[in-house]
Amino acid sequence: MTQLDAVYAFVTAFAVAALLTPLTARLARRVGAIDQPKSRGLGRDATPLLGGLAIGAGALVAALIFLDPSARTHDRLLGILGGALLITVVGAVDDRFDLHPAVKLLGQVAAAVIPVAAGVEVTNITLPFAGAIDFGSAGAPVTVVGLVAMMNVVNFSDGVDGLAAGVCAISAVAFSIIAFDLDRSYAAILAACTAGAATGFLLHNFPPASIYMGDTGANLLGLLLGCIAVEGAVKTQAVLALVFPLVVLAVPFLDTTFVILKRMKYRRKVYVADANHFHHRLSRIGFSERRTLAYLYAWTLLLGGFAVALRFIPYSDHHGHLHTGWSVVVAALALLVAAASVYLVYVLEIVKLRRITRRRRPDATEDEVDAHVERTMETGEFEALGR
């Protein structure tokens, strides 16, 4: 399996998902799987769900055509596809009948157990300056927890047209490049299938969306990305193996972490949705849906590019010796990414919010403006602000 196979897999998955998405929209309307506008959401009209069925079909068709697993990886691939099929069914039922959170969690755990039982398991990781850490018998449950967390991370971030599909597509492309370089070609091809299917669906999901992926697609993409991260990076002996997925998926991880901590701080139920995600906050300070996507896509691209750079820049000989010049380059890139991240999640909101507050409250003093901004940033409860 070569890089050219990955390109063909991407194109095939893209075409299948793009062609099937309108059919899944018709199916969703027929069975009543319709998302109604919610006060916390950014959607304005009743929109069909079940877009994840087209994503799953695109990824599956491409995988069956272009994946030729070895005897060593055959069972793991079947496990991934089996888990993907189960979570797609669970998600579709949830999109239609709105399952209880405990039932959804049980379905996620069951779907994660299938690939882990087939060998998609992290038994040890290699950390910089710490060496190898062996999980032993805890490897399987740790991996299941990680896969379930990944499903929920994607699900939590799916709150504005085009966001989850675009971020997952960008992340999958980054994983594909990294996996090829780590000689994990079957994980790289699977990542290309995932990226192509998400991008094909995005044709119909970009604002204004004609269909949503629903829990069907969010859980499926989360499981696939989690398995790809395990098989394509974390299970290798690369020193930064664990760092790659954390950097590539930093945007949805940070978003989910921020929201969960906020709910815990104010004693809200963690699993009850609210409107404090990054995309909600950007919308409330005046960003259009497309501008919100542009910023979050750019942030994801920046982080994904940095993860790829970490793999390709020869800053180390992999035996504990650093090359000064290239290490400086990596450090500079890290500072750039960190600065951009701080700007996007903090400075951007404060600066624009302060300007809008002054415009809406011309008689307020600087201390009053600062107090208002601080209170708003602390609680996450923005006023409805114009563009």
Side-chain angles (χ1 to χ4, degrees), residues 91-317:
V93 173
D94 183 39
D95 284 338
R96 175 59 184 87
F97 297 105
D98 195 17
L99 298 175
H100 188 278
V103 177
K104 288 191 284 188
L105 179 60
L106 181 62
Q108 290 174 333
V109 172
V113 166
I114 295 175
V116 171
V120 182
E121 176 186 350
V122 180
T123 56
N124 63 79
I125 57 174
T126 303
L127 298 177
F129 311 111
I133 298 177
D134 194 343
F135 289 125
S137 59
V142 166
T143 308
V144 169
V145 170
L147 293 178
V148 171
M150 192 65 238
M151 285 184 258
N152 284 289
V153 162
V154 176
N155 205 354
F156 276 30
S157 67
D158 183 28
V160 62
D161 297 356
L163 180 56
V167 167
C168 288
I170 294 169
S171 300
V173 170
F175 278 134
S176 184
I177 296 170
I178 292 169
F180 264 123
D181 191 60
L182 289 170
D183 199 26
R184 296 297 179 107
S185 57
Y186 103 93
I189 298 292
L190 183 59
C193 296
T194 303
T199 307
F201 169 75
L202 188 59
L203 289 180
H204 306 276
N205 186 237
F206 199 77
S210 60
I211 184 173
Y212 295 155
M213 68 171 64
D215 279 9
T216 312
N219 285 321
L220 172 62
L221 287 174
L223 179 65
L224 289 175
L225 285 177
C227 291
I228 290 165
V230 170
E231 290 294 286
V234 180
K235 284 181 69 170
T236 69
Q237 298 302 311
V239 173
L240 296 179
L242 184 62
V243 174
F244 294 136
L246 293 178
V247 173
V248 171
L249 297 167
V251 173
F253 270 126
L254 286 172
D255 181 43
T256 300
T257 301
F258 170 85
V259 169
I260 289 178
L261 291 176
K262 185 71 67 175
R263 292 173 188 174
M264 292 174 63
K265 179 177 180 180
Y266 292 98
R267 302 184 184 279
R268 301 166 184 163
K269 294 179 179 178
V270 171
Y271 57 84
V272 176
D274 57 26
N276 286 320
H277 291 274
F278 288 156
H279 51 270
H280 290 121
R281 295 162 70 87
L282 290 171
S283 174
R284 285 196 293 263
I285 63 173
F287 281 28
S288 66
E289 287 188 10
R290 294 194 175 195
R291 190 176 179 188
T292 295
L293 287 183
Y295 274 81
L296 294 177
Y297 284 176
W299 191 13
T300 305
L301 276 168
L302 188 64
L303 288 161
F306 179 61
V308 172
L310 285 175
R311 183 58 196 168
F312 286 92
I313 294 177
Y315 61 89
S316 169
D317 63 0

Side-chain angles (χ1 to χ4, degrees), residues 310-333:
L310 285 175
R311 183 58 196 168
F312 286 92
I313 294 177
Y315 61 89
S316 169
D317 63 0
H318 304 296
H319 296 289
H321 299 96
L322 298 178
H323 300 305
T324 304
W326 286 117
S327 296
V328 171
V329 172
V330 170
L333 289 175

